[in-house]
Amino acid sequence: MMIRATLISLCAIFAALPAAAQQLPPGVESARLLPGWTDADGNRISALELRLEPGWKTYWRNPGDSGLPPSFEWQESDNLAKISFHWPAPEAIRSGDELTLGYHNLLVLPFTAEPVDPAHPVELAASIDLGVCEKICVPAHLDLQAPAAAVDPDPEIEAALARVPEPLSLRPSCTRRDISDGIQLDVLLPRQDIDVAAMELEDHPEIWVSTATLDPEGTGTRATADFVPPSGKAFDLDVTDLRITLIGADGTVEMRGCDLQGTASAG
C-alpha cells in the first residue's frame, strides 16, 4: 500500500513539472502553464509560456497561407467550463513570397478559465499540439499541468494581456462573390497604413482563409481574401462571424463583422 501511494504521488509530481523538466520537442527551451490567479468572479487567469531557441518561431491562431495553428485539449482539467484565449498581437513573418503570422523566441498566451462551480478552484491540465519552425517546421506535442493559482496577478501575464490588439468598433463595408471552391470577400478598410489584414471566421477553423491582398482605395484600403470550406463549394458566409486583425506601423487593431453591401458577379 505504501509503495502504491508513493508511485501515485510521484506520478502527480511529474505531471505538474513544466515541460522543461520533461522531454522537449526540437526548438523548445521550456514550456509551462503559469499559475496565474483567480479573479473576483472565480475565473482562473493563466497563460501558456513557451520559450523557443534563438531563431525559432511558433504560429498565431491563424498562421497565414501555411503553418500549423495550435490546438488545445483540456479533458484532464477539473471544474473547467470554458477557456477563452487572449492572443497577443502576432508578428508578420515574411520568407520570400510567403507570409506567416506568429511569434519568435517567446510566446506568453493568456487565457481565462471559467469554472463550473465558482466556489471551487479550477485545476488546469492541457494537451497541446503546435508547430515550431526554424528553417523547416516540425509538429510539437506538450502535456502540461498548472500549479495552484497564486494570490496576486502575474506581471508577465498582465504584460501579455496589454499586447492584445485593441478593438475597433467601426464595421467596414464588404462585398462577397462566389468562386470555384468557396467565396471571396472584399472589405473596404478605413486605413492605408496596413501591412497585413488577417481575416478569420470565428468558431469555424475548418474554413481556410487566404492571406488578404491589399489595394489602396480612396482614403482606405481594399482587402480581398478567399474563404474555402472543406466542401470546396460556395457557402453562406455569416459576416457577423468575421474577425479582421489589422497589423501596421501604428499598431495592431481588431475589427468584428462587416456591413454586407451585396454580392458581386463572379469573374
Side-chain angles (χ1 to χ4, degrees), residues 58-154:
T58 191
Y59 292 108
W60 188 48
R61 62 172 184 255
N62 175 13
D65 283 337
S66 63
L68 181 66
S71 64
F72 297 80
E73 299 290 345
W74 301 93
Q75 283 89 343
E76 300 302 317
S77 299
D78 188 54
N79 193 34
L80 176 62
K82 180 183 176 182
I83 292 283
S84 299
F85 289 103
H86 312 293
W87 288 87
E91 304 170 46
I93 304 169
R94 298 185 185 275
S95 177
D97 294 332
E98 184 178 90
L99 171 68
T100 56
L101 300 171
Y103 310 90
H104 276 106
N105 303 331
L106 173 66
L107 168 62
V108 177
L109 173 56
F111 57 85
T112 299
E114 298 180 24
V116 175
D117 182 356
H120 293 87
V122 177
E123 297 180 5
L124 294 169
S127 179
I128 307 169
D129 289 291
L130 68 164
V132 292
C133 310
E134 189 186 28
K135 295 179 180 178
I136 60 170
C137 295
V138 295
H141 179 82
L142 300 166
D143 290 307
L144 303 176
Q145 184 170 331
V151 175
D152 298 320
D154 182 340

Coordinates of all heavy atoms in Angstrom, one line a residue, residues 58-154:
T58 N 6.8 30.1 -33.5 CA 5.6 29.3 -33.5 C 4.5 30.2 -34.0 O 4.7 31.4 -34.3 CB 5.3 28.8 -32.1 OG1 4.2 27.8 -32.2 CG2 4.9 29.9 -31.1
Y59 N 3.3 29.6 -34.3 CA 2.3 30.3 -35.0 C 1.2 30.9 -34.2 O 0.9 30.4 -33.1 CB 1.6 29.3 -36.0 CG 2.5 28.8 -37.1 CD1 3.0 27.5 -37.1 CD2 2.9 29.7 -38.1 CE1 3.9 27.1 -38.1 CE2 3.7 29.3 -39.1 CZ 4.2 28.0 -39.2 OH 5.1 27.6 -40.1
W60 N 0.6 31.9 -34.7 CA -0.6 32.5 -34.2 C -1.8 31.6 -34.4 O -1.7 30.6 -35.1 CB -0.8 33.9 -34.9 CG -1.9 34.8 -34.4 CD1 -2.1 35.2 -33.2 CD2 -2.8 35.5 -35.3 NE1 -3.1 36.1 -33.1 CE2 -3.6 36.3 -34.4 CE3 -3.1 35.5 -36.6 CZ2 -4.6 37.1 -34.9 CZ3 -4.1 36.4 -37.1 CH2 -4.8 37.1 -36.2
R61 N -3.0 32.0 -33.9 CA -4.2 31.2 -34.1 C -4.6 31.0 -35.6 O -5.1 30.0 -36.0 CB -5.4 31.7 -33.4 CG -5.8 33.1 -33.8 CD -7.1 33.6 -33.2 NE -7.5 34.9 -33.8 CZ -7.4 36.0 -33.2 NH1 -6.8 36.1 -32.0 NH2 -7.7 37.2 -33.8
N62 N -4.2 32.0 -36.4 CA -4.4 31.9 -37.9 C -3.0 32.1 -38.5 O -2.5 33.2 -38.6 CB -5.3 33.0 -38.3 CG -5.5 33.1 -39.9 OD1 -5.0 32.2 -40.6 ND2 -6.0 34.2 -40.4
P63 N -2.3 31.0 -38.9 CA -0.9 31.1 -39.3 C -0.7 31.8 -40.6 O 0.5 32.1 -40.9 CB -0.5 29.6 -39.3 CG -1.7 28.9 -39.6 CD -2.8 29.6 -38.9
G64 N -1.7 32.0 -41.4 CA -1.5 32.5 -42.8 C -1.6 31.4 -43.8 O -2.3 30.5 -43.6
D65 N -1.0 31.6 -45.0 CA -1.2 30.7 -46.1 C -0.6 29.3 -45.7 O -1.0 28.3 -46.3 CB -0.5 31.2 -47.3 CG -1.3 32.3 -48.0 OD1 -2.5 32.3 -47.8 OD2 -0.7 33.1 -48.7
S66 N 0.4 29.2 -44.8 CA 0.9 27.9 -44.5 C 1.2 27.9 -43.0 O 1.1 29.0 -42.3 CB 2.2 27.6 -45.2 OG 3.2 28.5 -44.9
G67 N 1.4 26.8 -42.4 CA 1.7 26.7 -41.0 C 0.7 25.9 -40.2 O -0.4 25.6 -40.7
L68 N 1.0 25.6 -39.0 CA 0.2 24.7 -38.2 C -0.4 25.5 -37.0 O 0.4 25.9 -36.1 CB 1.0 23.5 -37.7 CG 0.2 22.5 -36.8 CD1 -0.8 21.8 -37.6 CD2 1.2 21.5 -36.3
P69 N -1.7 25.8 -37.0 CA -2.2 26.6 -35.8 C -2.2 25.7 -34.6 O -2.4 24.4 -34.7 CB -3.6 26.9 -36.3 CG -4.0 25.9 -37.3 CD -2.7 25.5 -38.0
P70 N -2.0 26.2 -33.4 CA -2.0 25.4 -32.2 C -3.4 24.9 -31.9 O -4.4 25.5 -32.2 CB -1.5 26.3 -31.1 CG -1.8 27.7 -31.6 CD -1.8 27.6 -33.1
S71 N -3.5 23.7 -31.3 CA -4.8 23.2 -30.8 C -4.6 22.7 -29.3 O -3.5 22.3 -28.9 CB -5.3 22.0 -31.6 OG -4.3 20.9 -31.6
F72 N -5.6 22.8 -28.5 CA -5.6 22.5 -27.1 C -6.7 21.6 -26.7 O -7.9 21.7 -27.2 CB -5.8 23.8 -26.3 CG -4.7 24.9 -26.5 CD1 -4.7 25.7 -27.6 CD2 -3.7 25.0 -25.6 CE1 -3.7 26.6 -27.8 CE2 -2.7 26.0 -25.7 CZ -2.7 26.8 -26.9
E73 N -6.4 20.6 -25.9 CA -7.4 19.8 -25.3 C -7.3 19.9 -23.8 O -6.2 19.9 -23.2 CB -7.2 18.3 -25.7 CG -7.3 18.0 -27.2 CD -8.7 18.2 -27.7 OE1 -9.7 18.2 -26.9 OE2 -8.9 18.3 -29.0
W74 N -8.4 19.9 -23.1 CA -8.5 20.2 -21.7 C -9.2 19.2 -20.8 O -9.6 19.4 -19.7 CB -9.1 21.6 -21.4 CG -8.5 22.7 -22.1 CD1 -8.7 23.2 -23.4 CD2 -7.4 23.5 -21.6 NE1 -7.9 24.3 -23.7 CE2 -7.0 24.5 -22.6 CE3 -6.6 23.5 -20.4 CZ2 -6.0 25.4 -22.5 CZ3 -5.6 24.5 -20.3 CH2 -5.3 25.4 -21.3
Q75 N -9.3 18.0 -21.4 CA -10.2 16.9 -20.7 C -9.7 16.6 -19.3 O -10.5 16.2 -18.5 CB -10.2 15.7 -21.6 CG -11.1 15.7 -22.8 CD -10.4 16.3 -24.0 OE1 -9.3 16.9 -23.9 NE2 -11.0 16.1 -25.2
E76 N -8.4 16.7 -19.1 CA -7.9 16.3 -17.7 C -8.0 17.4 -16.7 O -7.6 17.2 -15.6 CB -6.4 15.9 -17.9 CG -6.2 14.7 -18.8 CD -7.0 13.5 -18.4 OE1 -7.0 13.2 -17.2 OE2 -7.6 12.8 -19.3
S77 N -8.5 18.6 -17.1 CA -8.8 19.7 -16.1 C -9.9 19.3 -15.2 O -10.8 18.5 -15.5 CB -9.0 21.0 -16.9 OG -7.9 21.3 -17.7
D78 N -10.0 20.1 -14.1 CA -11.1 19.8 -13.2 C -11.9 21.1 -12.9 O -11.2 22.2 -12.8 CB -10.6 19.3 -11.9 CG -11.7 18.9 -10.9 OD1 -12.5 18.1 -11.3 OD2 -11.7 19.3 -9.8
N79 N -13.2 21.1 -12.9 CA -14.1 22.2 -12.6 C -13.9 23.3 -13.7 O -14.0 24.5 -13.4 CB -13.8 22.8 -11.2 CG -14.8 23.8 -10.8 OD1 -16.0 23.7 -11.1 ND2 -14.4 24.9 -10.1
L80 N -13.7 22.8 -14.9 CA -13.5 23.8 -16.0 C -14.7 23.7 -17.0 O -15.1 22.7 -17.5 CB -12.3 23.4 -16.8 CG -12.0 24.2 -18.1 CD1 -11.7 25.6 -17.8 CD2 -10.8 23.6 -18.9
A81 N -15.3 24.9 -17.2 CA -16.5 25.1 -18.1 C -16.1 25.6 -19.4 O -16.6 25.1 -20.5 CB -17.5 26.0 -17.5
K82 N -15.1 26.5 -19.5 CA -14.8 27.2 -20.8 C -13.5 27.8 -20.7 O -13.1 28.4 -19.7 CB -15.9 28.2 -21.1 CG -15.7 29.0 -22.4 CD -16.8 30.1 -22.6 CE -16.6 30.9 -23.8 NZ -17.6 32.0 -23.9
I83 N -12.7 27.8 -21.8 CA -11.5 28.5 -22.0 C -11.6 29.6 -23.0 O -12.2 29.4 -24.1 CB -10.3 27.6 -22.4 CG1 -10.0 26.6 -21.3 CG2 -9.1 28.4 -22.9 CD1 -9.2 27.1 -20.2
S84 N -11.2 30.8 -22.7 CA -11.2 31.9 -23.7 C -9.8 32.5 -23.8 O -9.2 32.9 -22.8 CB -12.1 33.1 -23.2 OG -13.4 32.6 -23.1
F85 N -9.2 32.4 -25.0 CA -7.8 32.8 -25.2 C -7.8 34.3 -25.5 O -8.7 34.9 -26.0 CB -7.2 32.1 -26.4 CG -6.9 30.7 -26.1 CD1 -7.7 29.7 -26.6 CD2 -5.8 30.3 -25.3 CE1 -7.4 28.3 -26.3 CE2 -5.5 29.0 -25.0 CZ -6.3 28.0 -25.5
H86 N -6.7 35.0 -25.1 CA -6.4 36.4 -25.3 C -5.1 36.5 -26.1 O -4.0 36.6 -25.4 CB -6.4 37.2 -24.0 CG -7.5 36.8 -23.1 ND1 -8.8 37.2 -23.4 CD2 -7.5 36.2 -21.9 CE1 -9.6 36.8 -22.4 NE2 -8.9 36.2 -21.5
W87 N -5.1 36.5 -27.4 CA -3.9 36.3 -28.2 C -3.2 37.7 -28.3 O -3.8 38.7 -28.8 CB -4.3 35.8 -29.6 CG -4.7 34.4 -29.6 CD1 -5.9 33.9 -29.5 CD2 -3.8 33.3 -29.9 NE1 -5.9 32.5 -29.6 CE2 -4.6 32.1 -29.9 CE3 -2.4 33.2 -30.2 CZ2 -4.1 30.9 -30.1 CZ3 -1.9 31.9 -30.4 CH2 -2.7 30.8 -30.3
P88 N -1.9 37.8 -27.9 CA -1.2 39.0 -28.2 C -1.0 39.2 -29.7 O -1.1 38.2 -30.5 CB 0.2 38.7 -27.5 CG -0.1 37.6 -26.5 CD -1.2 36.8 -27.1
A89 N -0.8 40.4 -30.1 CA -0.6 40.7 -31.5 C 0.6 39.9 -32.0 O 1.6 39.9 -31.5 CB -0.4 42.2 -31.7
P90 N 0.4 39.3 -33.2 CA 1.4 38.5 -33.8 C 2.4 39.3 -34.6 O 2.1 40.5 -34.9 CB 0.7 37.5 -34.7 CG -0.5 38.3 -35.2 CD -0.9 39.2 -34.0
E91 N 3.5 38.7 -34.9 CA 4.5 39.3 -35.9 C 4.1 38.9 -37.3 O 3.6 37.8 -37.5 CB 5.9 38.8 -35.7 CG 6.5 38.9 -34.3 CD 7.8 38.2 -34.2 OE1 8.6 38.2 -35.1 OE2 7.9 37.5 -33.1
A92 N 4.3 39.7 -38.3 CA 4.2 39.4 -39.7 C 5.6 38.9 -40.1 O 6.5 39.7 -40.2 CB 3.7 40.6 -40.5
I93 N 5.7 37.6 -40.4 CA 7.0 37.0 -40.7 C 7.0 36.6 -42.2 O 6.2 35.8 -42.7 CB 7.2 35.7 -39.9 CG1 7.0 36.0 -38.4 CG2 8.5 35.1 -40.2 CD1 7.0 34.8 -37.5
R94 N 7.9 37.3 -42.9 CA 8.0 37.1 -44.4 C 9.2 36.2 -44.7 O 10.3 36.5 -44.2 CB 8.0 38.4 -45.1 CG 6.7 39.2 -44.9 CD 6.7 40.5 -45.7 NE 5.6 41.3 -45.4 CZ 4.4 41.2 -45.9 NH1 4.2 40.3 -46.8 NH2 3.4 42.0 -45.6
S95 N 9.0 35.3 -45.6 CA 10.1 34.5 -46.1 C 9.8 34.3 -47.6 O 9.0 33.5 -48.0 CB 10.1 33.1 -45.4 OG 11.1 32.3 -46.0
G96 N 10.6 35.1 -48.4 CA 10.3 35.1 -49.9 C 8.9 35.7 -50.1 O 8.6 36.7 -49.6
D97 N 8.1 34.9 -50.9 CA 6.7 35.3 -51.1 C 5.8 34.9 -50.1 O 4.6 35.1 -50.2 CB 6.3 34.8 -52.5 CG 7.1 35.4 -53.7 OD1 7.6 36.6 -53.5 OD2 7.3 34.7 -54.7
E98 N 6.2 34.1 -49.1 CA 5.3 33.6 -48.1 C 5.2 34.5 -46.9 O 6.2 35.0 -46.4 CB 5.9 32.2 -47.7 CG 4.9 31.4 -46.7 CD 5.5 30.1 -46.3 OE1 6.2 30.0 -45.3 OE2 5.1 29.1 -47.0
L99 N 4.0 34.6 -46.4 CA 3.7 35.4 -45.2 C 3.1 34.5 -44.2 O 2.1 33.8 -44.4 CB 2.8 36.6 -45.5 CG 2.2 37.3 -44.3 CD1 3.4 38.1 -43.6 CD2 1.1 38.3 -44.7
T100 N 3.6 34.4 -43.0 CA 3.0 33.7 -41.9 C 2.9 34.7 -40.7 O 3.6 35.7 -40.6 CB 3.8 32.5 -41.5 OG1 5.2 32.8 -41.2 CG2 3.8 31.4 -42.6
L101 N 2.1 34.3 -39.7 CA 1.8 35.1 -38.5 C 2.2 34.3 -37.3 O 1.7 33.2 -37.2 CB 0.4 35.6 -38.5 CG -0.1 36.5 -39.7 CD1 -1.6 36.7 -39.7 CD2 0.6 37.8 -39.7
G102 N 3.0 34.9 -36.4 CA 3.4 34.1 -35.3 C 4.3 34.8 -34.3 O 4.2 36.1 -34.3
Y103 N 5.2 34.1 -33.6 CA 6.0 34.7 -32.6 C 7.4 34.0 -32.6 O 7.5 32.8 -32.7 CB 5.3 34.4 -31.2 CG 3.9 34.8 -31.1 CD1 2.9 33.8 -31.5 CD2 3.5 36.0 -30.7 CE1 1.5 34.2 -31.4 CE2 2.1 36.4 -30.7 CZ 1.2 35.4 -31.0 OH -0.2 35.8 -30.9
H104 N 8.4 34.9 -32.4 CA 9.8 34.4 -32.3 C 10.1 34.3 -30.8 O 9.7 35.2 -30.0 CB 10.7 35.3 -33.0 CG 10.9 35.0 -34.5 ND1 10.4 35.8 -35.4 CD2 11.5 34.0 -35.1 CE1 10.7 35.3 -36.6 NE2 11.4 34.2 -36.5
N105 N 10.9 33.3 -30.4 CA 11.6 33.2 -29.2 C 10.7 33.0 -27.9 O 11.0 32.2 -27.1 CB 12.5 34.5 -28.9 CG 13.5 34.6 -30.1 OD1 13.9 33.7 -30.7 ND2 13.8 35.9 -30.4
L106 N 9.6 33.8 -27.8 CA 8.8 33.7 -26.6 C 7.4 34.0 -26.9 O 7.0 35.0 -27.6 CB 9.3 34.7 -25.5 CG 8.4 34.8 -24.3 CD1 8.4 33.5 -23.5 CD2 8.8 36.0 -23.4
L107 N 6.5 33.1 -26.5 CA 5.0 33.3 -26.5 C 4.5 33.2 -25.1 O 4.7 32.1 -24.5 CB 4.4 32.3 -27.5 CG 2.8 32.3 -27.4 CD1 2.2 33.6 -27.8 CD2 2.3 31.1 -28.3
V108 N 3.8 34.2 -24.7 CA 3.0 34.1 -23.4 C 1.6 34.3 -23.9 O 1.2 35.4 -24.3 CB 3.4 35.2 -22.4 CG1 2.5 35.1 -21.2 CG2 4.9 35.0 -22.0
L109 N 0.8 33.3 -23.8 CA -0.6 33.3 -24.3 C -1.6 33.2 -23.2 O -1.8 32.1 -22.6 CB -0.8 32.1 -25.3 CG -2.2 31.8 -25.8 CD1 -2.8 33.1 -26.5 CD2 -2.3 30.6 -26.7
P110 N -2.1 34.3 -22.8 CA -3.1 34.3 -21.6 C -4.4 33.7 -22.0 O -4.8 33.7 -23.2 CB -3.2 35.8 -21.3 CG -2.1 36.5 -22.0 CD -1.8 35.7 -23.2
F111 N -5.1 33.2 -21.0 CA -6.4 32.7 -21.2 C -7.2 32.8 -19.9 O -6.6 32.9 -18.8 CB -6.4 31.3 -21.7 CG -5.7 30.3 -20.9 CD1 -6.4 29.6 -19.8 CD2 -4.4 29.9 -21.1 CE1 -5.7 28.7 -19.0 CE2 -3.7 29.0 -20.3 CZ -4.4 28.4 -19.3
T112 N -8.5 32.9 -20.0 CA -9.4 32.9 -18.9 C -10.1 31.5 -18.8 O -10.7 31.0 -19.8 CB -10.5 34.0 -19.0 OG1 -9.9 35.2 -19.1 CG2 -11.5 33.9 -17.9
A113 N -10.0 30.8 -17.7 CA -10.7 29.6 -17.5 C -11.9 29.8 -16.6 O -11.7 30.1 -15.4 CB -9.7 28.6 -16.8
E114 N -13.1 29.6 -17.2 CA -14.3 29.8 -16.4 C -14.6 28.5 -15.7 O -14.6 27.4 -16.3 CB -15.4 30.2 -17.3 CG -15.2 31.5 -18.0 CD -16.4 31.9 -18.9 OE1 -17.5 31.4 -18.7 OE2 -16.2 32.7 -19.8
P115 N -15.0 28.6 -14.4 CA -15.3 27.3 -13.6 C -16.7 26.8 -13.8 O -17.6 27.6 -14.1 CB -15.1 27.8 -12.2 CG -15.5 29.2 -12.2 CD -15.1 29.8 -13.6
V116 N -16.9 25.6 -13.6 CA -18.3 25.0 -13.5 C -18.9 25.6 -12.2 O -20.0 26.0 -12.2 CB -18.2 23.5 -13.5 CG1 -19.6 22.9 -13.3 CG2 -17.7 23.0 -14.8
D117 N -18.1 25.5 -11.1 CA -18.6 26.0 -9.8 C -17.6 27.0 -9.3 O -16.5 26.7 -8.9 CB -18.6 24.8 -8.8 CG -19.1 25.2 -7.4 OD1 -19.4 26.4 -7.2 OD2 -19.3 24.3 -6.6
P118 N -18.0 28.3 -9.3 CA -17.1 29.4 -8.9 C -16.7 29.3 -7.5 O -15.7 30.0 -7.1 CB -18.0 30.7 -9.1 CG -19.0 30.3 -10.1 CD -19.3 28.8 -9.8
A119 N -17.3 28.5 -6.7 CA -16.9 28.3 -5.3 C -15.7 27.4 -5.1 O -15.1 27.4 -4.0 CB -18.1 27.8 -4.4
H120 N -15.3 26.8 -6.2 CA -14.1 25.8 -6.1 C -13.1 26.2 -7.1 O -13.4 26.8 -8.2 CB -14.6 24.4 -6.3 CG -15.5 23.9 -5.3 ND1 -16.9 24.1 -5.3 CD2 -15.2 23.2 -4.1 CE1 -17.4 23.5 -4.2 NE2 -16.4 23.0 -3.5
P121 N -11.8 25.9 -6.9 CA -10.8 26.3 -7.9 C -10.8 25.5 -9.2 O -11.3 24.4 -9.2 CB -9.5 26.0 -7.1 CG -9.9 24.9 -6.1 CD -11.3 25.2 -5.7
V122 N -10.3 26.1 -10.2 CA -10.1 25.4 -11.5 C -8.7 24.8 -11.5 O -7.7 25.5 -11.3 CB -10.3 26.4 -12.7 CG1 -10.0 25.7 -14.0 CG2 -11.7 27.0 -12.6
E123 N -8.7 23.5 -11.8 CA -7.4 22.8 -12.0 C -7.2 22.6 -13.4 O -8.0 22.0 -14.1 CB -7.4 21.5 -11.2 CG -7.5 21.7 -9.7 CD -7.5 20.3 -8.9 OE1 -7.3 19.3 -9.6 OE2 -7.8 20.4 -7.7
L124 N -6.0 23.0 -13.9 CA -5.7 23.1 -15.4 C -4.7 22.0 -15.8 O -3.7 21.9 -15.2 CB -5.2 24.5 -15.7 CG -6.2 25.6 -15.6 CD1 -5.4 27.0 -15.7 CD2 -7.3 25.6 -16.6
A125 N -5.1 21.3 -16.8 CA -4.2 20.3 -17.5 C -4.5 20.4 -19.0 O -5.7 20.3 -19.4 CB -4.4 18.9 -17.0
A126 N -3.5 20.6 -19.8 CA -3.6 20.8 -21.2 C -2.8 19.8 -22.0 O -1.6 19.5 -21.7 CB -3.3 22.2 -21.6
S127 N -3.4 19.3 -23.1 CA -2.6 18.6 -24.1 C -2.6 19.5 -25.4 O -3.6 19.8 -25.9 CB -3.3 17.3 -24.4 OG -2.6 16.5 -25.4
I128 N -1.4 19.8 -25.8 CA -1.2 20.9 -26.8 C -0.4 20.4 -28.0 O 0.6 19.7 -27.8 CB -0.4 22.1 -26.2 CG1 -1.1 22.6 -24.9 CG2 -0.3 23.2 -27.2 CD1 -0.3 23.6 -24.1
D129 N -1.0 20.6 -29.2 CA -0.3 20.4 -30.4 C 0.0 21.7 -31.2 O -1.0 22.5 -31.3 CB -1.1 19.4 -31.3 CG -1.1 18.0 -30.7 OD1 0.0 17.3 -30.7 OD2 -2.2 17.6 -30.3
L130 N 1.2 21.9 -31.6 CA 1.5 23.1 -32.3 C 2.7 22.9 -33.2 O 3.3 21.9 -33.2 CB 1.8 24.3 -31.3 CG 3.1 24.2 -30.4 CD1 3.4 25.5 -29.8 CD2 3.0 23.1 -29.3
G131 N 3.0 23.9 -34.1 CA 4.1 23.8 -34.9 C 5.2 24.8 -34.5 O 4.9 25.9 -34.0
V132 N 6.5 24.3 -34.6 CA 7.6 25.2 -34.3 C 8.5 25.1 -35.5 O 8.7 24.0 -36.1 CB 8.3 24.8 -33.0 CG1 7.5 25.1 -31.8 CG2 8.7 23.3 -33.0
C133 N 9.2 26.2 -35.8 CA 9.9 26.3 -37.0 C 11.2 27.1 -36.9 O 11.3 28.0 -36.1 CB 9.1 27.0 -38.1 SG 7.5 26.5 -38.4
E134 N 12.3 26.6 -37.5 CA 13.5 27.4 -37.8 C 13.5 27.5 -39.3 O 12.9 28.4 -39.8 CB 14.7 26.7 -37.2 CG 15.9 27.6 -37.2 CD 17.2 26.8 -36.8 OE1 17.3 25.6 -37.0 OE2 18.1 27.5 -36.3
K135 N 14.3 26.7 -40.0 CA 14.3 26.7 -41.4 C 13.2 25.8 -42.0 O 12.6 26.0 -43.0 CB 15.6 26.3 -42.0 CG 16.8 27.3 -41.6 CD 18.1 26.8 -42.2 CE 19.2 27.8 -41.8 NZ 20.5 27.4 -42.3
I136 N 12.9 24.7 -41.2 CA 11.7 23.9 -41.6 C 10.9 23.8 -40.3 O 11.3 24.1 -39.2 CB 12.2 22.5 -42.0 CG1 13.0 21.8 -40.9 CG2 13.0 22.5 -43.3 CD1 13.2 20.3 -41.2
C137 N 9.6 23.4 -40.5 CA 8.7 23.3 -39.4 C 8.4 21.9 -39.0 O 8.4 21.0 -39.8 CB 7.3 24.0 -39.8 SG 7.5 25.7 -40.2
V138 N 8.3 21.7 -37.7 CA 8.1 20.4 -37.1 C 6.9 20.5 -36.2 O 6.7 21.5 -35.5 CB 9.3 19.8 -36.4 CG1 10.4 19.6 -37.4 CG2 9.7 20.8 -35.3
P139 N 6.0 19.4 -36.1 CA 5.0 19.4 -35.2 C 5.5 19.1 -33.8 O 6.5 18.4 -33.6 CB 4.1 18.3 -35.6 CG 5.0 17.4 -36.4 CD 6.0 18.2 -37.0
A140 N 4.9 19.7 -32.8 CA 5.3 19.5 -31.4 C 4.1 19.2 -30.5 O 3.0 19.7 -30.8 CB 6.0 20.8 -30.9
H141 N 4.3 18.3 -29.5 CA 3.3 18.0 -28.6 C 3.7 18.2 -27.2 O 4.9 17.9 -26.8 CB 2.9 16.5 -28.8 CG 1.8 16.1 -27.8 ND1 0.4 16.3 -28.1 CD2 1.8 15.5 -26.6 CE1 -0.3 15.9 -27.1 NE2 0.5 15.4 -26.2
L142 N 2.8 18.8 -26.3 CA 3.1 19.1 -25.0 C 2.0 18.7 -24.1 O 0.8 18.9 -24.4 CB 3.4 20.6 -24.8 CG 4.5 21.3 -25.6 CD1 4.3 22.8 -25.5 CD2 5.9 20.9 -25.0
D143 N 2.3 18.1 -22.9 CA 1.3 17.8 -21.9 C 1.7 18.5 -20.7 O 2.8 18.3 -20.1 CB 1.3 16.3 -21.6 CG 0.7 15.4 -22.7 OD1 -0.5 15.8 -23.2 OD2 1.3 14.5 -23.2
L144 N 0.9 19.5 -20.3 CA 1.2 20.4 -19.2 C 0.1 20.5 -18.2 O -1.1 20.3 -18.5 CB 1.4 21.8 -19.8 CG 2.5 22.0 -20.9 CD1 2.4 23.4 -21.4 CD2 3.8 21.6 -20.4
Q145 N 0.6 20.7 -16.9 CA -0.4 20.8 -15.8 C 0.1 22.1 -15.0 O 1.2 22.2 -14.7 CB -0.4 19.6 -14.9 CG -1.4 19.7 -13.8 CD -1.6 18.3 -13.1 OE1 -1.4 17.3 -13.7 NE2 -1.9 18.4 -11.8
A146 N -0.9 22.9 -14.7 CA -0.6 24.2 -14.0 C -0.5 23.9 -12.5 O -1.3 23.1 -11.9 CB -1.6 25.2 -14.3
P147 N 0.4 24.5 -11.8 CA 0.4 24.5 -10.3 C -0.8 25.3 -9.8 O -1.6 25.9 -10.6 CB 1.7 25.2 -9.9 CG 2.1 26.0 -11.1 CD 1.5 25.3 -12.3
A148 N -1.1 25.3 -8.5 CA -2.2 26.0 -7.9 C -2.1 27.5 -8.2 O -1.0 28.1 -8.4 CB -2.2 25.8 -6.4
A149 N -3.2 28.2 -8.4 CA -3.2 29.6 -8.6 C -2.6 30.4 -7.5 O -2.7 30.0 -6.3 CB -4.7 30.1 -8.8
A150 N -1.9 31.5 -7.9 CA -1.3 32.3 -6.9 C -2.4 33.3 -6.4 O -3.5 33.4 -6.9 CB -0.1 33.1 -7.4
V151 N -2.0 34.1 -5.4 CA -3.0 35.1 -4.8 C -3.0 36.3 -5.7 O -4.1 36.9 -6.0 CB -2.6 35.4 -3.4 CG1 -3.5 36.5 -2.8 CG2 -2.7 34.2 -2.5
D152 N -1.8 36.8 -6.1 CA -1.8 38.1 -6.8 C -1.6 37.9 -8.3 O -1.1 36.9 -8.7 CB -0.6 38.9 -6.3 CG -0.7 39.2 -4.8 OD1 -1.8 39.6 -4.4 OD2 0.3 39.2 -4.1
P153 N -2.1 38.9 -9.1 CA -1.9 38.8 -10.5 C -0.4 38.7 -10.9 O 0.5 39.2 -10.2 CB -2.5 40.1 -11.0 CG -3.5 40.5 -10.0 CD -2.9 40.0 -8.7
D154 N -0.1 38.0 -12.0 CA 1.2 37.8 -12.5 C 1.6 38.9 -13.5 O 0.9 39.1 -14.5 CB 1.3 36.4 -13.2 CG 2.6 36.0 -13.7 OD1 3.5 36.9 -13.9 OD2 2.8 34.8 -14.0

